[in-house]
Every structure is written in C-alpha cells, then in structure tokens.
Amino acid sequence: QKEVEQNSGPLSVPEGAIASLNCTYSDRGSQSFFWYRQYSGKSPELIMFIYSNGDKEDGRFTAQLNKASQYVSLLIRDSQPSDSATYLCAGAFTGGGNKLTFGTGTQLKVEL
Amino acid sequence: DGGITQSPKYLFRKEGQNVTLSCEQNLNHDAMYWYRQDPGQGLRLIYYSQIVNDFQKGDIAEGYSVSREKKESFPLTVTSAQKNPTAFYLCATQDRLNTEAFFGQGTRLTVV
C-alpha cells in the first residue's frame, strides 16, 4: 500500500474558482507534509508545508491537515491559468525514517 | 550563489553503458535524495543519504548505485543492469529531517 495517495486527475476548474487538491496517507506516525508545484519538464518547487492539525494560509493558498482522518489538502483560491501544473503531496513519516515520500501528483488545469 | 547543481541537463546513453549523473550542493544540507520521474508519473525514490559515507536504498534501487564521500556531492550511476533508464532524474537536498526538500533542475536521460 502506498504511503501517500493522490488522485491523478486532471482536475479542471474555471479561472477564478477554488481548486481543491487532496492527499491521503497511511502512516499514523506522520510528522510533516509538503505541497509542491511542478510545471511540465521542470523540477518541483515548494508551495507550502504544514506540521499541525488545522489550516495554514499563505496568499491564495491554504493547506489543511487532519491527522485523525489522515488527509491533507491544498486549496487554491482565485485560480489562474498560471496555476495549471501538477501538484505533488509529500510526507515525512516516522515509520519511513523521516525521509520524504511523494504521491503521484494531481494535474490541475485552470481554464479560461 | 547557493543551490543544487545537477549535470548534465541532457544525457544520452547507449545500450549496455554505465553513466553517472552529478549532483552538487552548497547549501550545507545533510540529506540528499535521488528520484526518478517517468512521463505523467510522480517521484519514485532511488537512493537517499542522511549523512556522509552512508546511504539507503529507496523503492527502485535496482540497476543504480550511489556514493556519498563528501557532504556536497551525491552522484548517481545508472548501470547497464537498469533495463529501462529513460526518465527524468531529480536530485534533492534536505537541511534536516521533517523539513522541506529543495530540488535541482534535473537530468533527462535517454537511451539511444
């Protein structure tokens, strides 16, 4: 069983809408979670990280973590065409030696 | 200019040939990782190292080898035993456990 799972998409949203990206994980010994954005042919870049239960906001982005339900999500408000990319969820798990484990990514398409 | 340097950006390998991908960092980070990414897929961990002179196999280590003789360097050798090496290879570093990873620009390897 994969430790981090994401729906591969594509997830299509109209410009200006809220995009909701979700990630579930299987290891209860979780420590921290990260959301990366990856444009085609480029390397991933960090958008946000979250360690504690609840919400964390940074500009148009909000990360949500629920350790009891074992999911983490990323909300993108006022979606722009430039947000079109693949979003990778990653977690660091105690059971995995705290190394980063990535999901397969969700492709987001923001349509005009 | 701090960062992670991967070279070369593009690499072509003949059948049966070993090739080495370079990853150098001047961020003074302890942990270094190698990931493989196939088209439309997420990141799969090949090897990782959390300290000099020590490294661990990831999920897809067969056909690959690494060394960590210096903190700054973590080269990856793709051996002839790797039967399908065509992929995008990403090197990442991490300052300490449970923190975000930073990525190099990647090496695109193609078998010709």
Side-chain angles (χ1 to χ4, degrees):
Chain A
Q1 182 181 1
K2 292 183 180 178
E3 289 184 323
V4 178
E5 298 207 32
Q6 296 180 257
N7 187 319
S8 62
L11 172 66
S12 294
V13 299
E15 184 179 6
I18 296 175
S20 178
L21 303 160
N22 300 308
C23 172
T24 58
Y25 60 93
S26 57
D27 187 337
R28 289 196 173 274
S30 61
Q31 298 295 324
S32 49
F33 295 89
F34 308 88
W35 281 101
Y36 287 83
R37 176 176 62 200
Q38 185 179 26
Y39 293 112
S40 181
K42 303 296 185 182
S43 58
E45 53 182 338
L46 181 72
I47 297 176
M48 292 193 70
F49 61 87
I50 186 165
Y51 301 142
S52 304
N53 274 326
D55 296 359
K56 179 180 179 182
E57 186 175 319
D58 184 2
R60 296 188 296 115
F61 299 96
T62 298
Q64 300 174 317
L65 175 59
N66 185 321
K67 291 192 176 184
S69 299
Q70 295 179 257
Y71 80 80
V72 57
S73 61
L74 179 70
L75 301 178
I76 306 175
R77 290 181 298 280
D78 188 24
S79 296
Q80 301 298 309
S82 59
D83 294 326
S84 297
T86 296
Y87 289 80
L88 299 164
C89 171
F93 303 100
T94 304
N98 291 307
K99 67 181 185 299
L100 286 185
T101 300
F102 283 82
T104 54
T106 298
Q107 184 183 7
L108 173 66
K109 294 184 177 180
V110 180
E111 299 169 335
L112 296 171
Chain B
D1 187 20
I4 304 164
T5 302
Q6 286 189 246
S7 61
K9 188 174 181 179
Y10 299 97
L11 183 59
F12 298 91
R13 192 194 94 165
K14 294 181 180 179
E15 293 282 352
Q17 189 179 45
N18 291 357
V19 291
T20 297
L21 283 59
S22 171
C23 179
E24 302 280 333
Q25 57 110 350
N26 60 5
L27 301 171
N28 199 36
H29 287 177
D30 288 323
M32 298 187 74
Y33 299 80
W34 275 106
Y35 292 94
R36 168 178 173 148
Q37 188 173 38
D38 293 285
Q41 303 296 312
L43 306 182
R44 292 188 290 167
L45 183 63
I46 305 173
Y47 269 99
Y48 66 103
S49 169
Q50 294 179 340
I51 195 169
V52 173
N53 292 322
D54 186 52
F55 49 83
Q56 308 296 326
K57 292 183 179 180
D59 301 318
I60 56 165
E62 185 175 352
Y64 300 97
S65 65
V66 294
S67 63
R68 186 86 188 275
E69 298 177 359
K70 299 185 300 181
K71 189 175 186 178
E72 301 80 14
S73 179
F74 192 42
L76 173 73
T77 296
V78 184
T79 73
S80 57
Q82 172 49 243
K83 297 306 179 187
N84 186 23
T86 295
F88 187 45
Y89 290 85
L90 287 159
C91 176
T93 71
Q94 193 182 27
D95 184 16
R96 57 190 183 281
L97 296 177
N98 303 319
T99 62
E100 67 270 28
F102 297 88
F103 287 86
Q105 294 306 300
T107 293
R108 194 165 299 279
L109 173 63
T110 303
V111 174
V112 295

